[in-house]
Amino acid sequence: MHTRRTHRRARIGRTRIGRTRTGRTRTGAMLLAAALLATACSAGGASTSAGSAAEAAGSTEAAKASLAALPQATPSALAPYYEQKLSWRDCGVPGFQCATMKAPLDYAKPTEGDVRLAVARKKATGPGKRLGSLLVNPGGPGGSAIGYLQQYAGIGYPQEVRAQYDMVAVDPRGVARSEPIECLDGREMDAYTRTDVTPDDEAEADKLVDAYQEFAEGCGADAPKLLRHVSTVEAARDMDVLRAVLGDEKLTYVGASYGTFLGATYAGLFPDRAGRLVLDGAMDPSLPARRLNMEQTAGFETAFQSFAKDCVRQPDCPLGDKGTAPDQVGKNLKAFFDDLDAKPVPTGDADGRKLTESLATTGVIAAMYDEGAWQQLRESLTSAMKENDGAGLLVLSDSYYEREADGGYSNLMFANAAVNCLDLPAAFTSPDEVRDALPDFEKASPVFGEGLAWSSLNCAYWPVEPTGEPHRIVAAGATPIVVVGTTRDPATPYRWAEALADQLSSGRLLTYEGDGHTAYGRGSTCIDSAINTYLLRGTAPEDGKRCS
């Protein structure tokens, strides 16, 4: 499961947790399938002492062990990486510079090969004192941090922040410009995204398993070595190399959705080097994959209930009118999904794709990330349900999957699964385990529960064994870390922000009472002012501060 923002978006597993909004992150059904949280692993050079009971994929208990901090002294074998000089060049995007940074493929064996990471920056615009570098990450896992920087953060963050910080991004290993993992070609991905994730019988369940196996085999064939070294711990260690190369004593960072897990992991590994960290749309690293996916499923249901209440107040709601209860709105949508399962709707797509149940579900989930998309969702549902035209929902689904106009896909979904499946043991190991859990998932969300439960099976067939475990992150000794939670966040439930802020020894919980995924830059003057003050002056908001 995972998250990301797009200027406002995020994602998770075959479901993803997310990124930001157009920068925005979305988290959707595709992220949930993979274990969301990466944890310490031998390859990353960190360790936890979580007991087997806590780390079991199906466990309902949160982990008790904490991520262990690395030694403060940099090992001599890593000195060449920490002392490298970046050669900045023009990016082809006005105002931005790009460079390539080397990091060890395996931090435990730094002499056995490198991974090349793409870095971009926009230098501080001034006036005023330069405060250093501000690293940003939109989530995913799999979201391009450089794309987010160039399309949103580097031009859309508050002017006073951009004036005093060099805005910086690095695409994590295996993502976008940093040796991207590829698993399927465009036509294969088209088939994969249409796969029925609510199988009605054994034959359909077998087809779903076949799809997961083909996806996993494609990833393994593309990057057999890199696939073992794309954990969140390793990506966090890469950020410390970048911090040093940029000349900053401490890391200043804004991470959204899955980016909060990446930032929190950095703080756990390097508490003495953690500076002003903002973790927006927070994840709880102490939860096993099955519970993460279950709670995210409930989060999407909460968001859908908000959408349903708003929808029936609008004159163009195709799911009910003012007298329709939210639960009935959900039943009406589920009935529409069932109709699509039996008979997909035309879309006018140049490649002949029809709107299937799985594509429609993904389109609806994509709109749950941002209440600004609710009108588009109503219009798309109206076209599909009343005019037999699925084009609108297909557009939403394609946006979620980052399908390009030429039929190709970004590597978002490939990197998402690669990180998730490495970070945590699989939520389920067989179709029978999914069937046993269906009542609980459907209770969490009558609309999305069945599909998200089956989507959580994808890591069962991954070609690489997981290296992470559920764990707490304490980051003892770190300066105040701001953890932001939105009360009706679909992708990263508010409880996760509460849990992470409680785990971090210096966590400060900042709450946005509202809808959508993440809070910074979404229109709340209260939230934006608190975060800007923290970034510019180092003054963290009072723990428990609430905004609307």
Side-chain angles (χ1 to χ4, degrees):
M1 145 182 160
H2 294 8
T3 10
R4 75 174 185 184
R5 302 173 33 138
T6 67
H7 157 95
R8 309 184 195 263
R9 41 200 186 193
R11 336 182 176 195
I12 307 183
R14 186 187 165 193
T15 333
R16 29 182 204 213
I17 276 186
R19 340 179 264 212
T20 45
R21 351 195 261 243
T22 121
R24 181 163 202 128
T25 319
R26 4 169 229 230
T27 307
M30 293 310 338
L31 297 186
L32 285 175
L36 244 192
L37 310 179
T39 74
C41 59
S42 58
S47 63
T48 66
S49 57
S52 59
E55 66 195 58
S59 172
T60 59
E61 297 300 321
K64 299 297 188 292
S66 297
L67 180 65
L70 291 171
Q72 292 188 18
T74 300
S76 58
L78 297 179
Y81 297 101
Y82 275 80
E83 296 170 359
Q84 66 186 293
K85 304 295 183 183
L86 297 185
S87 178
W88 294 100
R89 61 187 183 278
D90 181 73
C91 281
V93 179
F96 292 89
Q97 297 175 307
C98 290
T100 301
M101 184 185 84
K102 291 183 180 180
L105 176 66
D106 184 346
Y107 276 92
K109 301 175 181 178
T111 62
E112 297 189 5
D114 300 333
V115 59
R116 294 177 178 269
L117 306 177
V119 182
R121 74 177 178 186
K122 185 177 185 182
K123 300 195 75 172
T125 57
K129 178 184 177 182
R130 180 182 175 278
L131 296 176
S133 305
L134 172 56
L135 189 65
V136 296
N137 183 280
S144 172
I146 292 178
Y148 175 67
L149 175 74
Q150 295 177 343
Q151 296 167 23
Y152 174 61
I155 56 178
Y157 266 35
Q159 189 278 331
E160 58 270 31
V161 173
R162 292 182 287 115
Q164 295 186 250
Y165 282 103
D166 290 347
M167 301 293 295
V168 179
V170 55
D171 279 347
R173 48 179 65 203
V175 173
R177 299 163 178 83
S178 294
E179 301 192 16
I181 292 169
E182 302 290 341
C183 305
L184 302 175
D185 64 26
R187 289 187 177 277
E188 291 168 336
M189 270 299 289
D190 280 347
Y192 182 74
T193 60
R194 293 196 300 267
T195 304
D196 188 353
V197 292
T198 58
D200 299 318
D201 52 36
E202 194 71 30
E204 289 188 352
D206 289 344
K207 288 182 180 179
L208 180 58
V209 169
D210 289 344
Y212 287 150
Q213 289 176 330
E214 180 183 356
F215 185 98
E217 289 168 1
C219 296
D222 177 74
K225 292 184 178 179
L226 181 60
L227 211 62
R228 302 177 186 277
H229 297 288
V230 292
S231 71
T232 299
V233 164
E234 289 161 311
R237 297 194 68 171
D238 295 341
M239 292 200 306
D240 194 57
V241 173
L242 179 58
R243 172 204 58 77
V245 170
L246 293 172
D248 293 326
E249 291 186 7
K250 293 194 174 187
L251 180 76
T252 303
Y253 174 83
V254 176
S257 195
Y258 161 80
T260 67
F261 178 52
L262 183 58
T265 299
Y266 180 90
L269 295 173
F270 306 102
D272 58 309
R273 301 173 194 169
R276 301 170 189 179
L277 306 186
V278 177
L279 310 180
D280 185 12
M283 293 177 55
D284 180 359
S286 72
L287 300 179
R290 189 181 303 184
R291 183 167 166 186
L292 275 172
N293 292 357
M294 178 85 73
E295 292 191 6
Q296 192 183 49
T297 297
F300 279 108
E301 182 65 22
T302 296
F304 177 76
Q305 291 294 313
S306 291
F307 165 76
K309 292 174 183 177
D310 178 79
C311 186
V312 298
R313 290 196 293 262
Q314 311 302 325
D316 61 344
C317 180
L319 297 171
D321 54 29
K322 290 182 180 180
T324 308
D327 288 350
Q328 185 59 48
V329 174
K331 292 178 181 178
N332 294 342
L333 180 60
K334 192 67 167 65
F336 169 60
F337 288 159
D338 290 342
D339 290 342
L340 289 175
D341 190 30
K343 186 178 181 180
V345 168
T347 64
D349 176 63
D351 294 316
R353 293 179 300 155
K354 291 187 176 182
L355 182 70
T356 61
E357 178 189 14
S358 56
L359 290 172
T361 301
T362 301
V364 173
I365 282 177
M368 293 299 100
Y369 281 88
D370 188 349
E371 66 273 26
W374 289 358
Q375 179 179 345
Q376 181 183 0
L377 177 58
R378 292 196 309 271
E379 293 171 352
S380 298
L381 284 169
T382 297
S383 295
M385 297 174 71
K386 298 185 177 182
E387 301 167 14
N388 204 42
D389 179 3
L393 284 173
L394 185 63
V395 166
L396 284 168
S397 178
D398 284 351
S399 173
Y400 181 84
Y401 285 118
E402 294 192 353
R403 186 184 191 270
E404 309 297 340
D406 63 1
Y409 288 75
S410 78
N411 94 309
L412 172 64
M413 295 308 303
F414 311 138
N416 182 270
V419 176
N420 287 332
C421 295
L422 195 61
D423 275 355
L424 286 180
F428 300 108
T429 60
S430 70
D432 284 343
E433 287 188 3
V434 178
R435 293 186 184 98
D436 290 343
L438 280 176
D440 289 335
F441 273 79
E442 291 176 320
K443 181 179 179 180
S445 176
V447 178
F448 306 117
E450 181 182 9
L452 294 185
W454 281 102
S455 292
S456 302
L457 180 62
N458 71 325
C459 286
Y461 309 101
W462 203 243
V464 175
E465 290 296 317
T467 55
E469 305 168 351
H471 57 267
R472 294 170 57 83
I473 298 179
V474 177
T479 57
I481 298 172
V482 177
V483 178
V484 188
T486 298
T487 54
R488 294 185 294 278
D489 190 317
T492 51
Y494 178 66
R495 194 206 67 74
W496 292 359
E498 293 180 304
L500 180 59
D502 183 63
Q503 291 170 39
L504 292 168
S505 62
S506 59
R508 302 283 184 90
L509 179 63
L510 176 61
T511 298
Y512 174 58
E513 296 177 346
D515 296 293
H517 183 47
T518 72
Y520 186 42
R522 295 204 53 204
S524 170
T525 301
C526 174
I527 290 288
D528 292 353
S529 176
I531 293 175
N532 293 340
T533 298
Y534 173 63
L535 291 174
L536 295 171
R537 302 177 191 169
T539 304
E542 180 183 354
D543 186 32
K545 180 179 176 65
R546 302 183 75 87
C547 298
S548 59

